[in-house]
Amino acid sequence: MGIQVHGIGKRFGDFVALENIDLSMRTGALTALLGPSGGGKSTLLRIIAGLEKPDTGTVEIDGADATRLAPRHRNVGFVFQHYAAFTHLSVYRNVAFGLEIRKRPRAEIRKRVNELLELVHLEQFADRLPAQLSGGQRQRMALARALAVEPKVLLLDEPFGALDAKVRKELRDWLRRLHDEVHVTTVFVTHDQEEALEVSDEIVVINDGRVEQVGKPDELYDRPANPFVMSFLGPVTTLDGQLVRPHDIEVFTDPVGDAVPAKVTRLQRIGFEVRAELGDTGGWAQLTRGQSEALNLAEGANVWVRPAPGTTRIPAPRQPT
Amino acid sequence: MADTVAPVTRPVPAPHSAREPARAARTPGSLVLRGVAMVYVGLLVLLPVAVILYRTFQPGLNVFFAALDSPEALHAFQMTGIVALSAVVINTVFGVAVAVLLARYRFWGRRLLSAFVDLPVSVSPIVVGLALVLVFGPTGWLGPFVEHHGVTMIGAKPGMIVATVFVSLPLVVRALVPVLEQSGMEQEQAAASLGASAVTRLRRITLPTIRAALTYGVVLSLARCIGEYGAVLVVSNNIEGQTETAPLRVGNLVENELNYNAAYAITFVLIIVAFAAILLSAWIRRRRRS
C-alpha cells in the first residue's frame, strides 16, 4: 500500500534524470525525497503525480496501478514550489475548486472549505485574492486546496523553497503537526537536509538519478551507506583517512591511546560553538564553548585528536586532485 | 505527439507598486521629440482625418445621410458586418488554439508555425488574396474540390472570410502568447491534479487568465477585419451589391463612380468604428495594468 514505484526511468534528451528507481513509501508516513538540485527527485514526484510520463517502470498508488492514469484520475494532492495559486479566484474559491468541479452540494463545500481554512489559519482571508497574501499564506492555501479533495497521497515539490528562512522554519513545524492530525500519505521534495531530518518519518536520498539510501532520519545520519549520504546529511571532516562528523572528534591536551597529534591552526567561535581547525590533519573539530574553555584551547596549541568511540566513520573517498 | 513543456517557474511578482509618474517633458531633447511627434501626427493623421471630416459634412447632413441610406451602401455595411463578425469568431477560437499550442507545447515545426502565423503581417494583403485565388479559384488546386462539395470560395463570402481571418489572426495570437508564456502551466497542472478535465481547465483556468489579453486582441482584430481592403478586393471579385464590403465600396465610389461625397460618408463611419475599437482596446489595456 502507500506508493510503490518499480523500475522507473526517465530521460530528457541525453540527460538521464532517473535510472531504474525502486521505492516504496508507507501509507500514512511523511517521506522526504532529499538530494541536490538536478538529482531527479522532483521528476520522480511529478511522475508519481502523473505530470510527467516515465520512459520505463510502473507507479502504484494504494495498491492500484496508476502508471497510465491521467493526473486527474490519480486522486493525488500536489503542492508546487511557486504555489500555482489560481490568481483570478479568491482564497475560498481556490480551496473549493476541487469540490466545485466534483459538483458537491454547496452546503457541503462551504463546511469543508471553512474547516480547511481554519486548519491552515486563513479563515479571515477567505475573500482575498492570492496576490494579496504573503508567500507563506499562499502556500498554506495551496495545501488546503490540495487537501480539500481528500487525496490518497499528498505530494509537495520543494514546498518551502521560495520562502524566507524564518517562514520556512515555521511552516516546516506546522507541516509536521498538520501531518500528525491528518495522517495522509505524504511525500515531499527538498534539498535541505535539516528540513528532511526534522520533519520526515523516512528519508530517501536521491542523487544523479539514483537512490543512494533509504531510512529513518537517525539511521541515515548515524549509518550512512556511502560518503555522499554522509556528507549530504550533515557536516563532515576527514581524520586519518576517514570521514568523521566534526562534533564526533575528541580533543585531548595530552597523548591518549590511539589519538593522533595535531596543531590548532585556527579557533573560531560561532555563538555557543567553537570550531578548531587542525592544520596538519586537514580536518576540523566542533566543540562546545564549555569544552573549549575546559581544554584551555588556543591557536597554536598542540593537541591529540581521535573520533569518539562508537561514532559514525567511513573510509574517505580519494580526493580528486 | 507533442511533449508538454517543463513549466517555467518564476518568482511571484511583487504586488503592484504605484506606477512612477512620467517625467515632465521640459529638457531640450524631449522638446525636439515632442515636436517631431506632433508634426508626424499632425501631417499624417490629424490633417487627413480633418479633411475627410470637412468634406463629409461640407455638402450638408442631407447628403451625408442620403449617401449612407443608399441600397449599395447598406449592403456594403451588411457585408462588412457579416465578414468581420464571422472572421472575429474564427479568430477567437483559432487564436486561442494556436496561441496555446505555440506557448505551451514544444513540437517539431513549432518555429515554422510561429513564422507562418506572422506571415500576413509582413506580406501584402493583395498577395494573400492572390494566393487564395490560386488555391481556391475555379482553376485552383482545391477550387473544384470545394465547389463539388457546394462551397464557393472565390467571389463569395467564404473566401472573403478566410482572407480576412488570414490577415487578422496574428493580432489575436500575438496578444495571447506572452500572457500564456508568463502564466506558465502550473495552474493548469494544479487543476488537473484536483480532478479537472481538459475542458474544465480551459474554461475555468486558462480562459480567465487570458481574458483581458484575448479581449484586447479580438478588438484589434475586429478593427482590422472591418478595414481590410487588399485581400478582400482580390478574393471577392468586387461585385457591387453582392460581395462589396464597405472599404471596397469606398474604393469603387472614388475610382469608378467618382461619387466623392458618398465615399466620404462611408469613410467617416469606418473611421468612427475604428476609433471606437482603439479607444476600447486602450481602455482594456489600462484596466489590465491596474
Side-chain angles (χ1 to χ4, degrees):
Chain A
M1 296 304 251
I3 304 167
Q4 316 273 336
V5 302
H6 299 290
I8 289 287
K10 176 75 182 175
R11 285 164 175 275
F12 296 106
D14 289 338
F15 176 72
V16 180
L18 292 171
E19 206 174 358
N20 201 20
I21 303 282
D22 288 302
L23 271 180
S24 130
M25 286 156 255
R26 271 191 298 123
T27 306
L30 180 51
T31 306
L33 302 181
L34 174 68
S37 21
K41 53 199 193 308
S42 279
T43 306
L44 179 60
L45 195 78
R46 294 175 63 84
I47 286 174
I48 295 171
L51 299 175
E52 210 81 66
K53 283 195 195 103
D55 298 332
T56 59
T58 58
V59 177
E60 266 178 44
I61 298 172
D62 255 6
D65 184 8
T67 316
R68 296 191 188 290
L69 231 48
R72 71 191 185 100
H73 294 306
R74 292 197 185 196
N75 202 2
V76 154
F78 201 95
V79 174
F80 295 80
Q81 180 176 5
H82 296 289
Y83 329 122
F86 300 144
T87 48
H88 59 291
L89 297 178
S90 68
V91 170
Y92 180 94
R93 294 284 312 279
N94 261 275
V95 177
F97 186 88
L99 300 169
E100 281 180 5
I101 59 176
R102 280 171 175 70
K103 306 251 185 320
R104 295 280 171 76
R106 195 173 283 265
E108 187 197 320
I109 294 179
R110 179 170 298 273
K111 184 165 171 286
R112 176 100 183 112
V113 172
N114 285 335
E115 269 171 28
L116 282 161
L117 287 178
E118 211 168 298
L119 186 70
V120 300
H121 308 303
L122 287 175
E123 57 272 46
Q124 72 273 43
F125 297 113
D127 297 325
R128 294 223 188 154
L129 284 175
Q132 296 165 307
L133 300 183
S134 71
Q137 291 168 336
R138 266 183 247 189
Q139 200 56 298
R140 297 209 304 267
M141 180 197 81
L143 208 57
R145 182 177 71 181
L147 289 172
V149 295
E150 290 173 12
K152 280 187 231 150
V153 297
L154 183 62
L155 307 174
L156 305 102
D157 190 3
E158 299 261 4
F160 314 130
L163 304 169
D164 60 52
K166 187 161 171 285
V167 181
R168 244 183 123 105
K169 182 111 179 54
E170 279 168 20
L171 272 194
R172 191 199 283 174
D173 299 342
W174 177 82
L175 175 69
R176 181 67 240 185
R177 286 199 305 272
L178 180 82
H179 184 264
D180 293 341
E181 273 177 53
V182 184
H183 275 307
V184 56
T185 308
T186 305
V187 182
F188 81 105
V189 160
T190 180
H191 62 261
D192 181 343
Q193 92 284 350
E194 199 185 315
E195 194 166 289
L197 288 169
E198 197 177 309
V199 173
S200 52
D201 298 319
E202 193 152 76
I203 298 178
V204 178
V205 181
I206 295 182
N207 179 39
D208 263 347
R210 290 186 314 272
V211 173
E212 298 277 1
Q213 195 175 357
V214 183
K216 295 194 187 318
D218 290 351
E219 279 169 26
L220 260 63
Y221 195 84
D222 295 339
R223 290 188 294 283
N226 55 45
F228 176 83
V229 175
M230 179 146 178
S231 49
F232 201 81
L233 277 160
V236 287
T237 186
T238 45
L239 186 66
D240 227 3
Q242 288 184 312
L243 281 184
V244 195
R245 301 246 181 250
H247 52 70
D248 284 343
I249 293 182
E250 286 182 330
V251 180
F252 304 96
T253 45
D254 300 301
V256 180
D258 50 355
V260 293
K263 193 183 191 92
V264 177
T265 49
R266 189 155 182 268
L267 210 58
Q268 190 186 11
R269 209 192 120 189
I270 305 150
F272 69 93
E273 176 196 340
V274 175
R275 291 183 189 171
E277 274 179 31
L278 308 166
D280 28 3
T281 66
W284 61 285
Q286 184 185 36
L287 302 114
T288 64
R289 190 179 153 199
Q291 287 171 325
S292 170
E293 277 169 3
L295 291 166
N296 221 351
L297 283 188
E299 283 181 12
N302 288 311
V303 293
W304 282 262
V305 291
R306 69 172 186 201
T311 53
T312 313
R313 64 191 103 157
I314 54 179
R318 200 169 301 180
Q319 291 293 319
T321 43
Chain B
M1 260 299 276
D3 280 326
T4 53
V5 192
V8 188
T9 47
R10 286 187 179 77
V12 175
H16 293 288
S17 53
R19 237 176 303 150
E20 202 180 315
R23 281 182 305 166
R26 287 212 189 88
T27 61
S30 72
L31 285 177
V32 171
L33 282 179
R34 236 192 330 172
V36 170
M38 279 164 75
V39 168
Y40 165 80
V41 172
L43 285 182
L44 294 178
V45 184
L46 284 181
L47 190 62
V49 170
V51 170
I52 289 198
L53 270 176
Y54 174 69
R55 290 291 176 91
T56 305
F57 294 105
Q58 187 203 19
L61 283 177
N62 308 353
V63 179
F64 173 72
F65 286 115
L68 292 184
D69 207 23
S70 76
E72 293 85 2
L74 288 176
H75 185 268
F77 280 123
Q78 194 191 352
M79 255 337 253
T80 290
I82 293 170
V83 170
L85 288 181
S86 316
V88 163
V89 170
I90 296 173
N91 276 341
T92 309
V93 175
F94 275 80
V96 171
V98 173
V100 168
L101 198 63
L102 287 179
R104 300 271 167 94
Y105 296 89
R106 293 288 174 269
F107 52 93
W108 191 89
R110 178 178 161 274
R111 290 166 77 105
L112 203 66
L113 177 66
S114 177
F116 272 120
V117 167
D118 280 337
L119 198 63
V121 175
S122 49
V123 170
S124 161
I126 300 267
V127 177
V128 171
L130 207 59
L132 285 175
V133 171
L134 287 176
V135 175
F136 292 106
T139 56
W141 291 354
L142 295 177
F145 174 77
V146 292
E147 194 82 41
H148 182 74
H149 288 84
V151 182
T152 309
M153 293 284 286
I154 303 305
K157 276 180 221 145
M160 296 162 70
I161 293 169
V162 169
T164 309
V165 166
F166 207 96
V167 296
S168 55
L169 187 68
L171 295 171
V172 178
V173 175
R174 289 303 145 204
L176 294 182
V177 167
V179 178
L180 283 167
E181 278 177 349
Q182 205 207 333
S183 63
M185 287 184 76
E186 288 198 341
Q187 289 189 50
E188 277 86 352
Q189 290 178 340
S193 78
L194 291 169
S197 66
V199 175
T200 310
R201 295 199 294 271
L202 178 73
R203 203 166 54 81
R204 301 186 66 145
I205 305 296
T206 313
L207 288 181
T209 307
I210 61 174
R211 194 181 57 195
L214 181 62
T215 319
Y216 176 66
V218 164
V219 169
L220 272 189
S221 91
L222 177 70
R224 183 83 170 83
C225 291
I226 288 171
E228 178 51 30
Y229 183 78
V232 172
L233 176 74
V234 178
V235 167
S236 68
N237 293 343
N238 198 4
I239 308 160
E240 186 185 302
Q242 282 184 38
T243 61
E244 197 184 44
T245 61
L248 293 183
R249 178 88 198 127
V250 173
N252 290 335
L253 284 168
V254 172
E255 284 173 15
N256 307 328
E257 303 178 24
L258 303 178
N259 183 349
Y260 290 99
N261 287 336
Y264 293 141
I266 294 175
T267 306
F268 176 78
V269 174
L270 289 177
I271 287 177
I272 292 298
V273 173
F275 196 63
I278 287 167
L279 280 184
L280 185 62
S281 66
W283 180 70
I284 290 164
R285 255 213 306 209
R286 265 250 298 277
R287 244 183 36 153
R288 228 167 96 189
R289 264 185 311 203
S290 59

